[in-house]
Amino acid sequence: MNYILISGVLAVLGLAMFSSAALAKEETAIFGGGCFWCMEPPFEQLEGVIEVVAGYTGGTKEDADYKKVSSGRTDHYEAVRVVYDPEKISYKELVETFWRQIDPTDDGGQFADRGRHYRTAIFYNSEEQRKAAEMSKQELDEAKIFDRPVVTSILPAEPFYIAEEYHQDYYLKNVLHYNSYKKGSGRQPFIERVWGKETGTKNDGAYTKPKDEELRQQLTPIQFQVTQQDGTEPPFNNEFWNNKEAGIYVDVVSGEPLFSSLDKFESGTGWPSFTRPLEPNNIVEHEDRSLFMVRVEVRSKNADSHLGHVFEDGPPPTNLRYCINSAALRFIAKDELKEEGYEDYLELFE
C-alpha cells in the first residue's frame, strides 16, 4: 500500500514537473505595429512561434474594443501578443521581425493609418526583454537605414485585451482584401523598398487560395460544401435569404466584394437574390449542365467559390436574378464597413 501511495505521489509530482517544464518553454512578446491585421502573419510564419493574437494594449482605461479604440475613446494601441518557445526562437529575432514590418520613424501612425492606436511600440514583459529591445533599437538607429531617427516607444507591458474574433487571422479569412489593404495603405511598398521584395508574408501580392485542410478549419461544413463542392443549401433555411439590413456581401473565403443590399430583392425562392453584382469583375459565369438542365453557374473570380446561379427572370432594370447561397457569403453591415476595411462602399448608402 505504501509503495502504491508513494508511486502515486511521485507520478503526480512528475506530471506537475512536466507541466511546469512545458509552461516554462513559453514566453510572451507584445508589439504595437499599427494595423494588427498586418502584424499577425509575419510572426505566425516563424518557426518557434506558438500563437499570435490581435488585441489592444498600452491604454490608461480598463477594457478596450475596436469601436472605443478607433474612435479615440480609449488611448490603447492596436497590438499583437506573440507566444513563443525561446528554445526555438529568440526574443531578439522577434524584435528584428517587428522592425521589418513597420516604419519606426513615424510617431503619428503607420502609413495611411493615422492616430494614436496606429503608433508603434514594443511592450516588454521583463528586464531582459527591455534591454534586448533597447539594444536592437539602438542598432537600427545606428545602421542609418532611415533618414529620420527611430522613434518607436519601448514601454512596460500593460493589460492586453483580445480583439474581436473577426479581426483574428484576418489575412486568412479575407485574403484578397488583406492583400489589397496592405498594398494600398503603403505598408507593402515601404517594406519592399526598405527591406526588399523577399520580406513579408506568404500572402503578399496576388491572391493565393488556401488549401482544403485550411479551408475546412476556416469554414463551417455547409460553407465548405457549397463553396468547394458546388453544393446547394436548403431554401428558407439559410442565413441571409430574408436579411433586409443595409450592407454588402463578400466572398466567405477571400472577402472579395460581390453584392450589395441595394440590389437585393425578395424572389420568393428562399435564397438571397440580387439584380446585379456589386463588383462585376469579381463574378465569373460558367455553363452548368448538371441535374439534366442547362444553367449559368456563378463563381467568385479570385477564390473560385461556387456562389449559385443567375437566371433571366429577375426584375428591372437588369431582369436578372442572381440566386446565391448564403453559405458562400459573409455580410458586412453598413455601420461596420469602415472598421472592416470596406469604407470605400460607404458612399453607396449615403
Side-chain angles (χ1 to χ4, degrees):
M1 176 65 74
N2 288 339
Y3 174 78
I4 295 175
L5 179 61
I6 291 172
S7 298
V9 171
L10 289 174
V12 171
L13 288 174
L15 180 60
M17 291 173 65
F18 173 79
S19 299
S20 298
L23 290 174
K25 290 183 179 180
E26 294 185 6
E27 293 186 10
T28 301
I30 301 175
F31 302 101
C35 177
F36 43 33
W37 293 349
C38 299
M39 295 304 294
E40 279 189 291
F43 291 107
E44 287 188 344
Q45 294 168 11
L46 295 176
E47 181 69 26
V49 168
I50 299 166
E51 178 187 54
V52 183
V53 178
Y56 316 100
T57 193
T60 56
K61 296 183 179 181
E62 293 185 4
D63 201 5
D65 59 38
Y66 186 81
K67 290 185 178 178
K68 292 177 182 177
V69 172
S70 61
S71 65
R73 283 183 284 161
T74 72
D75 53 355
H76 291 79
Y77 293 72
E78 287 194 17
V80 290
R81 184 178 65 195
V82 181
V83 179
Y84 66 101
D85 183 346
E87 293 186 359
K88 295 182 179 179
I89 189 169
S90 68
Y91 182 73
K92 184 176 186 293
E93 290 175 292
L94 295 178
V95 174
E96 290 173 353
T97 298
F98 168 70
W99 293 133
R100 289 172 176 262
Q101 312 309 317
I102 66 169
D103 178 357
T105 69
D106 190 346
D107 61 358
Q110 285 294 283
F111 312 107
D113 298 320
R114 315 312 295 167
R116 176 180 171 82
H117 58 297
Y118 290 125
R119 294 165 65 190
T120 62
I122 298 174
F123 297 92
Y124 59 85
N125 289 291
S126 66
E127 183 63 14
E128 289 74 20
Q129 285 190 356
R130 184 192 69 79
K131 289 180 179 178
E134 293 281 8
M135 182 175 293
S136 182
K137 177 179 177 180
Q138 181 179 339
E139 291 173 351
L140 182 66
D141 221 359
E142 292 175 348
K144 302 298 182 183
I145 295 172
F146 310 99
D147 57 6
R148 296 185 298 174
V150 174
V151 296
T152 296
S153 301
I154 297 177
L155 306 169
E158 300 284 351
F160 185 90
Y161 303 100
I162 296 176
E164 297 77 357
E165 179 57 33
Y166 64 83
H167 285 306
Q168 307 299 331
D169 289 325
Y170 191 86
Y171 76 106
L172 293 177
K173 297 174 181 175
N174 296 280
V175 183
L176 186 73
H177 182 256
Y178 166 78
N179 288 332
S180 176
Y181 167 78
K182 188 171 182 180
K183 182 178 180 180
S185 68
R187 185 184 295 258
Q188 186 62 30
F190 176 87
I191 292 172
E192 291 179 357
R193 184 174 71 253
V194 175
W195 301 106
K197 289 190 176 183
E198 296 305 313
T199 302
T201 67
K202 296 174 184 176
N203 283 321
D204 292 336
Y207 175 77
T208 301
K209 184 177 178 179
K211 296 180 180 178
D212 276 1
E213 52 265 33
E214 294 179 51
L215 288 174
R216 287 185 185 276
Q217 295 179 358
Q218 176 183 333
L219 304 175
T220 65
I222 186 63
Q223 288 172 338
F224 186 87
Q225 180 187 4
V226 167
T227 61
Q228 307 307 304
Q229 299 174 330
D230 302 343
T232 302
E233 67 195 4
F236 303 103
N237 186 23
N238 55 77
E239 190 172 4
F240 302 125
W241 76 273
N242 199 33
N243 182 34
K244 296 179 173 61
E245 194 174 354
I248 68 171
Y249 296 82
V250 304
D251 186 285
V252 73
V253 176
S254 66
E256 55 196 290
L258 299 174
F259 299 98
S260 166
S261 62
L262 298 174
D263 303 309
K264 191 171 185 288
F265 70 97
E266 178 54 61
S267 64
T269 63
W271 288 286
S273 298
F274 305 88
T275 58
R276 59 185 176 184
L278 173 61
E279 294 288 357
N281 289 336
N282 290 342
I283 296 293
V284 177
E285 298 180 1
H286 297 283
E287 184 179 276
D288 177 7
R289 291 182 173 271
S290 63
L291 302 179
F292 306 103
M293 63 180 81
V294 179
R295 296 176 295 172
V296 178
E297 180 197 14
V298 178
R299 305 186 73 88
S300 62
K301 178 182 178 181
N302 294 282
D304 192 35
S305 300
H306 170 72
L307 304 175
H309 295 83
V310 59
F311 303 92
E312 296 181 349
D313 58 3
T318 65
N319 297 319
L320 297 176
R321 172 171 60 93
Y322 287 84
C323 187
I324 308 299
N325 289 278
S326 291
L329 305 173
R330 186 168 75 91
F331 177 70
I332 304 174
K334 176 185 69 173
D335 294 340
E336 297 174 352
L337 288 173
K338 184 175 181 179
E339 70 181 71
E340 292 228 23
Y342 294 88
E343 61 269 22
D344 290 349
Y345 296 101
L346 274 171
E347 62 183 22
L348 295 175
F349 304 97
E350 293 177 353

